Every structure is written in C-alpha cells, then in structure tokens.
C-alpha cells in the first residue's frame, strides 16, 4: 500500500521540496504508487511518477544506490510494455553497464536487466539475439540458484515465448511445460504461473491439440476464479488470465461461457476502476462482442452505445485530435456500434458510422499513423457486408478488396484480420460467380489461418468449405470431396448434426460422391442429410425434396430397386411423388 502520509496527487505532482528532500519514505511511497498504476495499466501516469523520481535520487544517494537503479528499471519496463522499445533500451543499456560495475555481471539484478533487454529484442523481431540472452541468463540462474528456483521458471517462460514467435511450437510447448512443472517450488502467491499457463494453453491451440489446451485453460480458470495462491480474484493479473480464457472460449465458439467470464471481468473492473477506465471499457466491448456472437444484438447494441458515450465523455470532442490513443479508442467503439446497428437492421445509422471511420482512418494514414489501418480495414469489411445485404455487388466487391489491401499495407502482420478479409472476398466472388478468382485468396487464407488460428479453427474450416464449394461449382469434384470430408466432422462436433452449417457441406459431399460414381457413399450421405433438412426446413422444402430425389437416383444407379420403391412409397404418404432428377407433387 502507498504510505498514507503522501496522497496520490503529491506523488504524481511532487513539489520541489519533496523532490529535493527525496527521503526514504517518499521514494518508497512513490515506487509503490507507480507499481499500482502499472498494475492497472495506467502506464503514462506510472511513467510520470518514475520520471520525476529518477533525477532526484542520485543527487541524494548517488547513482550506485539500489533504489535509484530500480526506478530506472521500472521506467524501462513501462516503456517496453507501451511498445516504446527504443526508449526502454536507451534506459536499459547504461543501467546494465552500471549494474555490471556496481553489482557484478552475474548479480540477479544485472540478469533482470539483461532479460528486459531481451524482451525488447523480441518486440522488435530480433529473436535470435533474445534467445541467446535468455539462454545465457538461464545457465547462470541454474548454476547459482538451482534448477527449481522461481527465477528459472520465469526465464523458461520468456524463452518459450521466443520459440513460439519463431514458430518452433514443439520446443515452445516443451519449455512452457518445464516451467509449469516447477509450480510446487514457487511461492504460493506467485501470479507469474498464470501467465505461463496462458502461454502453454495458447501453444496447444496453435498445435491443434484442443484437449490439452482445454486442460490448461480449465486449470488456469480454477486458479483465477478461486484467487490464485491466496491472491484476490480481483487482482489485475487474475483478471488478465480470465480474459485469456474468455478468448479461448470464443475461439471454441463457446460464446455463453465467454459471455459469463467477460461479464465477471467487466463487473469487477467497473467496481474497482470506474466506468470511464480504459480497461473497463475494453472488457465491456468484449462482453458486447460475446453478446453479438450469441445473436443478442439488441443487448450488444445497448452496451456499445454506453461504451461510445463513456469514451466521448472521457476525452471530450474538443481535445480528441490531440490525444491519439483516445481517438483510436473512440473510433474503435464507434465502429463496433456500427456493426451492432448493422445486425439490428439499422442500416442507415450503421452506414454513417462506417463512412466516418473510413474517412477518419484515411486522414490518420496521411499523417503516417499506420495503426489506423486496422480500423480502416474493419470498416471497409463491414461496409462491404452492408452493401451485400443491399444487393449492391460492385460496391461490396470494392469494399472487401479495400479491406484486404489495408491488411497487406500493415508494417506488422494482421493475420487474423487478413484471414477474415480473404474469407469475405472469396465468399463474394463465389456469390457473384467469379469462381476463377476464388482459389488463390482461399488457399493463401487457409495457409495463414492454419498457422495463426489452428487447423480446426472456425475461420480455417469456413475457408476450406468455401474453397470446396468453389471446386464443386467448377465440377472439380475430386478436389472438393477431401476438403468437405475435413469440414464435416468438425462442423458436426461444434454445431450438431441438424444445423445447416453441418447439413450444407454434407449435401455437397453427397453430390460430389454421386458425380464421382461413388454411389454407396453418396447414398449414406444423403440418408444423413435428409432427416436434418426435413426437421430444419420441413418435408416439402426445396432442399429436402432435392436431396430425396438425389437419393432415389443414387439407389437407382446401384440397382437397389426395392429400396428405391420403399423411399418413393414413404414420400408418397407425405404427398410427394418423384421422377428421376425431377420433383413433382401429387395428392
């Protein structure tokens, strides 16, 4: 806790007398206040505390003072967390030399400084340098403190993250597993284990091992909800763990579970941080998105409107252009509100917001603010969806292509967004019959989605389905069939046997088998499809009758005349008669 003899305002804006005096109690209170701000992700304020403290400390205690060195380290860690790696390294490199001279090259604080430098290398894509530093620190820690010390498992976590970034997933899994195996040797209140379990679970997802991933997430969820190691479940790092788990539920399309967890995180942050804190607003947006995924568009829309109002109230229209992070948050919230209005059929209002986001993002790009590209890409994507609903297909195609182009212009990959944009473009091309243009974006998107989201993710399977449909429509049945065989079991597991998302690829697979002369398999597939469509669409729906007619044809091709007669008789009792490849109704 912050020393009560100093209030927060004094610590954030200390007087000249306090800084000149810079006694031990003031330094301690300032540091702990900075830690609190950092834990709550108020990085700018936390940095301000340390920036005011650092020049005053050596005047009183000298630059060899440990507390002075810790203040520099904390400021560097804040800058690294903000992605300001050059600033972080400009602090860390002289600090490293100072600590080597004062404490020695193998002192724990010196190794901590090296580790943070390695983290900056990771952020900048310098993975080989980061790997070498972490391995160097790991060997020293093991020699000094043994293989089961908590510092060892923290370095293993950092090294695992490097391997994950390098795409060496099996090595990452092995490294994170070694780290979690040291759980019994760490302090019971150590919340770093939450982060390591999160990383391990994410690697399992990337490896396509959903069973192991779920085990890790459930273990993590149990620890987070119960207050890991005696910490309150309201601790910021516990809430961050809950966010990661909710994200996993979303990827598994377990949206009700995700909604419940986001609700808990949102309510906790609202109570502790207030309605206008950016973390509260962030968790409310994710809650709104979970509601949206559950097709509760009205509730999602109401929450989105509240988020926009809070963000506008926080920054004020007059100052918004002077505060770029706040501008991005406001634009992001307004884009999301547009998506919700689109789903609520409030098309005119949604169109206005999409236009606004496209225009603002374009202006920001002219100022070389490339992070607005992601917002521009999303707004083009959703404007394309709106135009598709309005049957304005040329504009639909234009916006979907613009969305993908924005992704390609990003200096760092926007993999998940790029997958969505490629998928959206392919769907439009299939819909308008431009099948020759589908294969290339689909294949590129499938490869990217498999690498980024996993081989069985929803986006990957949707893309495989779209490519299969394209091949089928081009009469490339031998290429379509294996893709459909991949889609069907995953869809059936996630959606159930009688969902249209399962029935449609089953029907396509049956048609492909029929066209390839694989009549026995076609028969089996049509028999699986027909009860589902009959229950979902009704016995006299066009799609149901089309599948029954195809089944009769397939039975006829196999000379199964008695079974063909039985099917005809069954459907005659429902008032339908068939001729081969033609549906007719009778009394």
């Amino acid at each position: 806790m912050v020393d009560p003899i100093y209030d927060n305002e004094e610590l954030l804006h200390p007087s000249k007398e306090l800084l000149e005096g810079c006694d031990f109690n003031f330094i301690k209170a300032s540091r702990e206040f900075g830690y609190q701000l950092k834990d709550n992700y108020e990085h700018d304020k936390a940095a301000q505390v340390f920036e005011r403290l650092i020049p005053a400390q050596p005047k009183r205690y000298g630059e060899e003072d440990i507390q002075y060195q810790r203040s520099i380290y904390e400021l560097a860690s804040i800058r690294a967390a903000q992605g300001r790696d050059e600033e972080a390294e400009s602090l860390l490199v002289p600090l490293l030399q100072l600590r080597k001279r004062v404490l020695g090259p193998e002192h724990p604080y010196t190794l901590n400084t090296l580790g943070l430098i390695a983290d900056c290398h990771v952020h900048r894509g310098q993975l080989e340098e980061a790997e070498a530093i972490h391995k160097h620190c790991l060997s020293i820690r093991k020699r000094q403190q043994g293989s089961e010390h908590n510092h060892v498992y923290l370095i293993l976590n950092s090294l695992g993250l490097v391997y994950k970034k390098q795409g060496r997933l099996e090595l990452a899994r092995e490294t994170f597993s070694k780290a979690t195996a040291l759980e019994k040797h760490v302090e019971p209140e150590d919340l770093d284990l939450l982060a390591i379990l999160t990383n391990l679970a994410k690697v399992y997802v990337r490896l396509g091992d959903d069973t192991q991933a779920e085990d890790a997430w459930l273990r993590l969820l149990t620890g987070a909800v119960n207050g890991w190691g005696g910490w309150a479940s309201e601790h910021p790092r516990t809430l961050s763990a809950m966010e990661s788990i909710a994200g996993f539920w979303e990827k598994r399309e377990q949206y009700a579970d995700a909604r419940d967890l986001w609700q808990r995180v949102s309510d906790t942050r609202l109570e502790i941080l207030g309605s206008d804190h950016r973390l509260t607003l962030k968790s409310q947006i994710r809650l709104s998105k979970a509601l949206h995924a559950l097709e509760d568009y009205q509730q999602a829309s109401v929450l989105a409107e509240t988020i926009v109002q809070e963000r506008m109230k926080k920054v004020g229209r007059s100052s918004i252009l002077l505060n770029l992070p706040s501008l991005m948050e406001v634009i992001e919230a307004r884009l999301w509100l547009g998506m919700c209005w689109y789903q609520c059929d409030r098309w005119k209002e949604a169109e206005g917001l999409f236009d606004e986001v496209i225009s603002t993002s374009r202006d920001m790009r002219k100022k070389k603010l490339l992070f607005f590209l992601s917002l521009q890409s999303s707004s083009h994507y959703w404007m394309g969806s709106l135009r598709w609903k309005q049957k304005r297909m040329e504009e639909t195609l234009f916006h979907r292509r613009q969305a993908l182009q924005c992704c390609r212009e990003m200096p760092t990959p926007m993999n998940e967004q790029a997958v969505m944009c490629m998928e959206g473009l392919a769907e439009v091309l299939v819909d308008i019959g431009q099948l020759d243009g589908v294969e290339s974006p689909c294949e590129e998107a499938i490869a990217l989605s498999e690498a980024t989201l996993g081989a069985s993710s929803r986006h990957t399977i949707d893309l495989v389905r779209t490519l299969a449909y394209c091949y089928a429509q081009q009469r490339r049945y031998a290429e379509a069939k294996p893709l459909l065989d991949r889609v069907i079991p995953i869809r059936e597991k996630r959606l159930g046997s009688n969902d249209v998302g399962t029935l449609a690829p089953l029907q396509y697979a049956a048609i492909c088998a029929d066209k390839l002369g694989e009549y026995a398999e076609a028969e089996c597939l049509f028999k699986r499809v027909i009860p589902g469509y009959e229950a979902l669409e009704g016995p006299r729906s066009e799609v149901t009758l089309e599948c029954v007619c195809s089944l009769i044809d397939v039975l006829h091709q196999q000379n199964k005349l008695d079974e063909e007669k039985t099917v005809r008789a069954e459907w005659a009792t429902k008032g339908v008669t068939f001729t081969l490849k033609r549906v007719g109704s009778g009394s």
Side-chain angles (χ1 to χ4, degrees), residues 263 266 283-289 291 297-309 336-337 340:
Q263 185 75 63
S266 178
S283 52
Q284 285 180 334
I285 277 192
R286 296 299 295 268
L287 173 59
S288 177
K289 290 183 177 181
L291 290 165
Y297 301 127
Q298 191 59 42
Q299 278 298 106
S301 179
V302 169
L303 189 52
E305 289 186 56
T306 301
I307 293 163
V308 168
Q309 289 166 6
W336 176 244
L337 178 57
C340 293

Side-chain angles (χ1 to χ4, degrees), residues 9 25 28 53 90 114 128 149 268 270 283 294 346 430 444 488 567:
E9 185 61 27
N25 286 331
K28 179 183 176 184
L53 194 60
S90 70
L114 266 173
E128 290 185 6
H149 193 276
T268 303
L270 182 63
S283 52
L294 289 166
R346 295 168 65 176
V430 169
E444 181 184 358
I488 290 165
V567 172

